[in-house]
Amino acid sequence: MTINQIHYFIATAKCLNFTKAADRLHMTPSALSRQISSMEYELNLQLFVRTQRFVKLTPAGKTLFEAFERIEQDYSDAVSMAQNAQYGMSGNINVGILDGTRIDDLFPPVIRYFAEQYPSVNISLRNFSFNDLVSGLYDGSLDFAVTLLFDIAQHANLHTHVIEKTQDWIVVPANHPLANRNRICLADLRDEIFIIVAHEDSSISSQLIISACKAQGFVPHVRFSPSIQTSMLWLQAGMGVAMFDTRNILYENPNVVFLDVDSVSDPSLTLAWSQDNQNPYSEKFLRIMKESIPRD
């Protein structure tokens, strides 16, 4: 199997239409179909269910799609680093961004300025869960993490810089009975299901929310999710309410409503890095971050 075949498979899995995928790949549908059939023969797996009306992934295809997306990204990153090394441009800054966090209005000036000052250094930004961000800082695979202060502050040997002060909000579906309120208290939600990130991803998040509810006289009904991304999907599906900050990408989503509530933590958007980080460009990146995004 070649990396091109993996690329063909990913494009087809995203489009679920051989004609559209072939157009994107600048090839004919029949040629694409032959490539997919060749993969299925080599792997002894059926990857797609194909009828005259639709194309969909099989369970095996879904599993490969998730894995192949990571492989394609890793391959692309490796080739870029190798090409840069060949031309003496081997520097790299790896930044992890918390899932569901909106940074599109903050980071472009940083990246642009850094590129002007250090054109030989690449900046890679990828999304991670709470726990994976911390692990990446400790094992050195990440130079920086952009996350929420309450979660990162509890970890030893990590430095932090607050990028923007934010606050907690209760988020409900737009058709929720409380959606027309400007402000609520946690006690108003005593009969609701709270969607909370599980302890395995953020050991402090669930503790803060549950403790705050208990302080208002009730034990919340909780549905634990494995990640913020899952919490966001469950919320939009009407499976409960959640607590997010204003940097969450759902903030401007018309299908949900953010309600003012007393904060139970400090969710300020925060840049974190390990005191043991040895990347020679980290200090330069941090300086430019502080210059480009003045602290509130």
Side-chain angles (χ1 to χ4, degrees):
M1 186 185 307
T2 67
I3 193 66
N4 281 340
Q5 287 179 310
I6 291 176
H7 183 58
Y8 299 154
F9 170 75
I10 291 173
T12 307
K14 287 181 176 179
C15 292
L16 292 179
N17 182 296
F18 276 77
T19 300
K20 291 181 180 179
D23 286 343
R24 291 188 181 184
L25 295 167
H26 305 292
M27 60 195 305
T28 64
S30 59
L32 176 58
S33 181
R34 286 195 298 272
Q35 290 290 340
I36 297 300
S37 295
S38 176
M39 289 179 63
E40 291 178 321
Y41 178 79
E42 178 181 345
L43 297 171
N44 194 28
L45 292 171
Q46 182 180 358
L47 303 178
F48 294 95
V49 175
R50 311 179 215 184
T51 72
Q52 292 183 340
R53 297 179 57 192
F54 64 84
V55 175
K56 69 177 182 180
L57 286 164
T58 65
K62 291 179 181 179
T63 300
L64 279 184
F65 175 59
E66 294 174 0
F68 280 175
E69 275 201 308
R70 294 192 296 270
I71 290 172
E72 186 181 46
Q73 182 63 55
D74 290 342
Y75 174 84
S76 178
D77 291 346
V79 170
S80 295
M81 288 188 290
Q83 290 172 337
N84 289 338
Q86 177 173 316
Y87 296 104
M89 300 186 295
S90 57
N92 201 53
I93 293 287
N94 293 303
V95 183
I97 312 295
L98 180 65
D99 284 336
T101 300
R102 180 175 53 86
I103 62 164
D104 55 297
D105 60 326
L106 296 176
F107 267 70
V110 176
I111 295 172
R112 181 169 57 250
Y113 185 30
F114 190 90
E116 292 171 354
Q117 298 294 312
Y118 306 100
S120 65
V121 182
N122 290 323
I123 300 179
S124 172
L125 291 86
R126 300 177 71 175
N127 291 100
F128 295 89
S129 65
F130 281 115
N131 187 56
D132 286 342
L133 286 173
V134 174
S135 298
L137 292 178
Y138 281 136
D139 66 24
S141 59
L142 291 178
D143 298 302
F144 294 96
V146 178
T147 185
L148 306 185
L149 182 59
F150 73 80
D151 184 77
I152 203 70
Q154 63 173 321
H155 297 285
N157 302 321
L158 297 181
H159 296 297
T160 59
H161 169 74
V162 172
I163 299 172
E164 180 181 284
K165 292 287 291 183
T166 59
Q167 69 177 73
D168 291 321
W169 295 77
I170 287 294
V171 190
V172 301
N175 60 357
H176 192 279
L178 296 175
N180 61 349
R181 297 267 295 272
N182 292 323
R183 180 176 174 80
I184 63 172
C185 64
L186 288 178
D188 295 327
L189 304 168
R190 63 175 63 249
D191 296 322
E192 300 288 338
I193 295 175
F194 280 75
I195 301 170
I196 301 176
V197 172
H199 181 88
E200 289 77 12
D201 188 36
S202 174
S203 60
I204 191 67
S205 181
S206 58
Q207 296 176 25
L208 289 168
I209 295 174
I210 293 172
S211 295
C213 291
K214 288 181 177 178
Q216 294 205 14
F218 72 101
V219 177
H221 307 288
V222 174
R223 173 175 281 125
F224 289 107
S225 74
S227 66
I228 287 182
Q229 291 283 19
T230 303
S231 295
M232 291 163 55
L233 290 173
W234 286 357
L235 171 67
Q236 293 177 86
M239 297 170 62
V241 303
M243 181 171 282
F244 295 139
D245 68 284
T246 46
R247 273 287 158 188
N248 187 275
I249 60 176
L250 290 181
Y251 187 65
E252 297 178 352
N253 189 313
N255 298 315
V256 301
V257 175
F258 279 62
L259 302 174
D260 195 9
V261 69
D262 289 337
S263 287
V264 305
S265 66
D266 187 346
S268 294
L269 190 68
T270 300
L271 185 74
W273 64 98
S274 171
Q275 66 181 25
D276 299 321
N277 185 280
Q278 300 297 314
N279 190 328
Y281 292 102
S282 290
E283 184 176 346
K284 299 174 176 61
F285 179 83
L286 180 61
R287 173 179 58 80
I288 290 175
M289 273 285 300
K290 292 180 177 179
E291 292 173 355
S292 301
I293 307 177
R295 182 172 175 172
D296 289 349

